[in-house]
Amino acid sequence: MRILGINALFHDPAAALVVDGRTVAAAEEERFSRRKHGKRPLPFSAWETPDQAAAWCLATAGLRPENLDAVAYSFDPRLARPADQMGLDDPWDHLRLTYAREAPGFLKTALPGLDPQRVRFVPHHMAHAASAAFGAPDADSSSVLVLDGRGEATSHLAAQRVQGKLEPLYGQELPHSLGLVYEELTAHLGFLRSCDEFKVMALASYGTPRMLPELRHYVYPTGDGGFHAAHVPWSDLCVPRHPDEPWSQAHADLAASAQLVLEETLLDLARWLHGRTHDSVLTLAGGVALNCVANSRIAREGPFGRVWVQPAAGDAGTALGGALLLSAQGGEEPAPMPGADLGRGWSDTELEAWLRTAAVPFERPADIAATVAEALAENAIVAWFQGRSEYGPRALGHRSLMAHPGHSANLERLNDVKGREQFRPVAPMVLADRAGRIFDGQLPSPYMLFVHDVAKEWRERIPAVVHVDGTARIQTVDRDDEPLVARMLAEFERLTGLPVVVNTSLNTAGRPMVDDPRDALECFGSTPVDLLAIGPFAVRRDAFFAAGNRSAQRAGALSFPAGIEEALAPAAYDRLAQPVQAPVAGSGEGAVR
């Protein structure tokens, strides 16, 4: 079966293609449209579908819309109720539901030739659950926990996978929602709701959870697999912060308190679920599953032997989950995710054509991995563009900014490059066979979805990647899975004695992660990055901006090589400008760093 998965209704619109139970491609619309999260989660934008991502997925497999056996749309309007009946203050939610019901028609327009009768509505949280349960390796029998802001009428799902079947066990009805509570806190602290929840988790490390007793009156498990999470009087706990104001200790203390009550509630849900299933493996999805601090506590203190988190745990992942669920229901055995590198990639020939068309001075060293390791050892900042782009919010060695971890100033330096707050941490990537002697926590950790305590003897050796609380959100690199990155790390260790490199996403604040070569060149040309490693080629800053160099004159007006634009973006549709107002209620990318 050839099944296209679509996530569109709230935010992070995305498409994924599953053929005969195997994941072929998956990408988020933001990487094509260059609009962060694809759109704001407003009822007025619910009609927008991931047209470019869907067209790219089909083109990658050589398919046309009429070749599809089914399209999974990760929201079922038949399960929804009016917002006021669910206790939500969202007077325009009915518009969102209207657009959901009309999704088959929108998709037919976006993908000419598609039979709208082949569009299947998949319950939102079942799509989340399938992305984790079927995407995880070695998890034929496993428990599944999904938490986000909201789906049709719930904010949570506990389920169990037994072979190819997914059985729901419990769902928490709205308005109680851990994701929405965290969204409210995000806005109260002056950040952008349904976008900046990861900042709240980072800020929590600077605080003391002195407000925890008060918060426990409003957020707590109910002991039956559900929880209470609604109507928190944030202003009674701490004055709100305006976006242009500095944060105070009270703001950090509130963030720390909310983070801790979230962890306590999640632990109770995990224990309840284990009591029902007695599984050894727990898989997680939903926006709250991007909270790596909470994930680590579940892994450390929870009853499961192994915890696996879907790398595109937010709403983008429901595109893949919906397709995998329909595949399983059709009698096919879903294969685990082959990795997170499911997006666009370019051949060496195509990359060279981009560089030549842009008139960029470049070289082709004998080994790009060794060239990058040498530059990093000399304290250069490197933009790393290799292979297929990542599906999900984490840079995992395909679209990364890298630096030397041994210089504490590199944290401030990278935050300045990216134009973001200085309390934000950066992450280490480390060879998997070296991780155990440096970091204490769940290993391996290939998707940066857990935090680890940094061994005391290493904290002074790699200060740039150690957060204020002595932890780091690591990515372990397996030599078989990521041979090029592993070779770079091994050479860096040979030169410096450190098997760790700073890794953060290749983008600047408020912009999606770099995806195509033009994005990479624009980012390189507009930030103080010393070296761009793009495929086997190296572009050096001093040559790029050399006096009289015509590439410096054209850096802001890069053009496509002939024919590449049409081949790589077969359906480039005009989109509406991104709304600037905050949503009333999103779908909950709650609590991420």
Side-chain angles (χ1 to χ4, degrees):
M1 294 178 65
R2 293 157 293 192
I3 304 173
L4 180 69
I6 296 290
N7 171 63
L9 196 67
F10 292 109
H11 53 77
D12 296 313
L17 182 65
V18 172
V19 177
D20 299 331
R22 299 185 178 277
T23 303
V24 173
E28 296 163 74
E29 188 73 3
E30 69 164 19
R31 309 296 170 87
F32 299 82
S33 69
R34 310 309 298 159
R35 296 163 60 195
K36 189 73 171 176
H37 294 295
K39 59 183 180 181
R40 296 294 295 142
L42 297 160
F44 311 102
S45 68
W47 65 271
E48 298 184 53
T49 52
D51 302 351
Q52 296 178 76
W56 172 78
C57 285
L58 294 177
T60 296
L63 298 176
R64 299 183 60 82
E66 55 265 33
N67 302 140
L68 291 169
D69 296 297
V71 176
Y73 184 85
S74 62
F75 186 90
D76 189 343
R78 296 166 297 187
L79 302 178
R81 302 197 305 273
D84 57 351
Q85 292 183 17
M86 298 186 292
L88 299 178
D89 182 16
D90 194 352
W92 290 99
D93 192 54
H94 67 277
L95 188 60
R96 183 181 284 122
L97 300 183
T98 297
Y99 287 147
R101 286 189 286 267
E102 298 298 327
F106 293 144
L107 291 169
K108 178 185 177 181
T109 301
L111 301 171
L114 175 68
D115 181 356
Q117 296 298 318
R118 295 184 180 177
V119 178
R120 302 285 184 268
F121 292 117
V122 176
H124 186 72
H125 290 127
M126 286 293 285
H128 267 309
S131 76
F134 297 133
D138 304 317
D140 288 351
S141 179
S142 57
S143 298
V144 193
L145 198 57
V146 172
L147 293 116
D148 64 3
R150 59 169 293 194
E152 294 85 359
T154 60
S155 68
H156 150 266
L157 174 67
Q160 184 178 28
R161 174 190 174 177
V162 179
Q163 300 301 321
K165 295 184 178 180
L166 195 56
E167 179 186 357
L169 299 176
Y170 190 94
Q172 176 60 58
E173 293 191 357
L174 294 165
H176 301 288
S177 169
L178 292 170
L180 291 183
V181 163
Y182 218 94
E183 285 186 6
E184 292 169 4
L185 173 62
T186 300
H188 186 77
L189 293 177
F191 303 118
L192 183 60
R193 179 176 183 159
S194 296
C195 181
D196 290 344
E197 282 72 23
F198 58 92
K199 297 182 182 180
V200 176
M201 193 178 68
L203 183 61
S205 298
Y206 290 82
T208 301
R210 59 183 176 85
M211 304 172 194
L212 182 60
E214 290 88 349
L215 276 175
R216 284 175 175 157
H217 291 296
Y218 304 97
V219 181
Y220 54 86
T222 52
D224 58 357
F227 51 86
H228 183 285
H231 312 304
V232 180
W234 299 110
S235 294
D236 291 348
L237 300 171
C238 172
V239 296
R241 170 186 168 268
H242 295 289
D244 57 350
E245 293 178 342
W247 58 272
S248 68
Q249 189 59 50
H251 295 130
D253 291 348
L254 181 58
S257 303
Q259 174 66 33
L260 197 53
V261 78
L262 172 76
E263 295 168 20
E264 292 177 347
T265 306
L266 293 177
L267 264 173
D268 185 90
L269 298 179
R271 289 166 180 154
W272 179 90
L273 181 56
H274 185 265
R276 292 288 299 272
T277 67
H278 306 290
D279 289 321
S280 61
V281 177
L282 174 66
T283 63
L284 299 173
V288 177
L290 292 172
N291 189 309
C292 53
V293 175
N295 295 343
S296 300
R297 192 165 176 195
I298 293 172
R300 184 175 64 251
E301 301 179 29
F304 292 92
R306 178 165 70 96
V307 177
W308 188 86
V309 185
Q310 213 276 92
D315 273 8
T318 64
L320 176 58
L324 289 172
L325 185 62
L326 291 190
S327 179
Q329 291 175 346
E332 296 174 336
E333 182 177 353
M337 288 181 66
D341 52 334
L342 298 170
R344 290 188 288 179
W346 283 265
S347 69
D348 294 353
T349 300
E350 289 171 326
L351 290 175
E352 184 173 0
W354 282 82
L355 294 172
R356 291 193 182 281
T357 299
V360 172
F362 65 91
E363 60 189 81
R364 183 167 187 164
D367 183 0
I368 191 66
T371 297
V372 167
E374 291 167 5
L376 291 171
E378 295 171 358
N379 205 27
I381 292 180
V382 176
W384 176 269
F385 183 104
Q386 303 293 336
R388 296 177 67 173
S389 60
E390 298 92 342
Y391 179 48
R394 306 289 193 237
L396 301 169
H398 294 260
R399 304 290 187 271
S400 294
L401 272 175
M402 298 179 177
H404 194 305
H407 304 291
S408 58
N410 278 343
L411 171 59
E412 181 176 352
R413 188 179 171 201
L414 283 169
N415 280 332
D416 284 343
V417 167
K418 292 169 69 72
R420 66 184 199 177
E421 301 89 349
Q422 287 300 334
F423 66 80
R424 301 271 299 279
V426 291
M429 57 167 46
V430 57
L431 288 167
D433 56 9
R434 301 287 195 273
R437 62 191 176 98
I438 305 173
F439 304 103
D440 181 26
Q442 175 158 307
L443 297 172
S445 182
Y447 298 131
M448 278 191 189
L449 288 165
F450 299 89
V451 295
H452 297 70
D453 290 323
V454 183
K456 290 183 179 180
E457 63 271 22
W458 278 90
R459 292 180 187 181
E460 292 185 358
R461 298 186 66 185
I462 53 172
V465 297
V466 182
H467 198 30
V468 65
D469 59 0
T471 66
R473 186 192 69 207
I474 76 170
Q475 176 197 358
T476 56
V477 176
D478 185 278
R479 297 175 193 270
D480 293 332
D481 295 336
E482 297 284 354
L484 183 66
V485 179
R487 194 163 73 246
M488 180 273 295
L489 286 169
E491 179 63 13
F492 183 77
E493 182 181 20
R494 187 187 70 79
L495 294 170
T496 66
L498 303 175
V500 175
V501 162
V502 178
N503 173 32
T504 188
S505 56
L506 182 53
N507 66 335
T508 53
R511 304 198 67 186
M513 206 183 307
V514 161
D515 197 76
D516 72 13
R518 179 173 62 181
D519 303 334
L521 288 165
E522 288 177 345
C523 186
F524 178 72
S526 62
T527 58
V529 173
D530 300 298
L531 175 70
L532 168 63
I534 181 167
F537 307 106
V539 182
R540 298 184 185 274
R541 183 173 180 80
D542 52 357
F544 189 82
F545 288 103
N549 190 323
R550 62 194 179 104
S551 70
Q553 301 167 18
R554 300 177 59 195
L558 303 177
S559 59
F560 290 94
I564 283 185
E565 183 173 18
E566 292 77 15
L568 299 180
Y573 299 93
D574 292 334
R575 309 302 296 265
L576 294 178
Q578 178 173 323
V580 298
Q581 62 266 48
V584 175
S587 65
E589 294 305 289
V592 298
R593 180 175 85 191

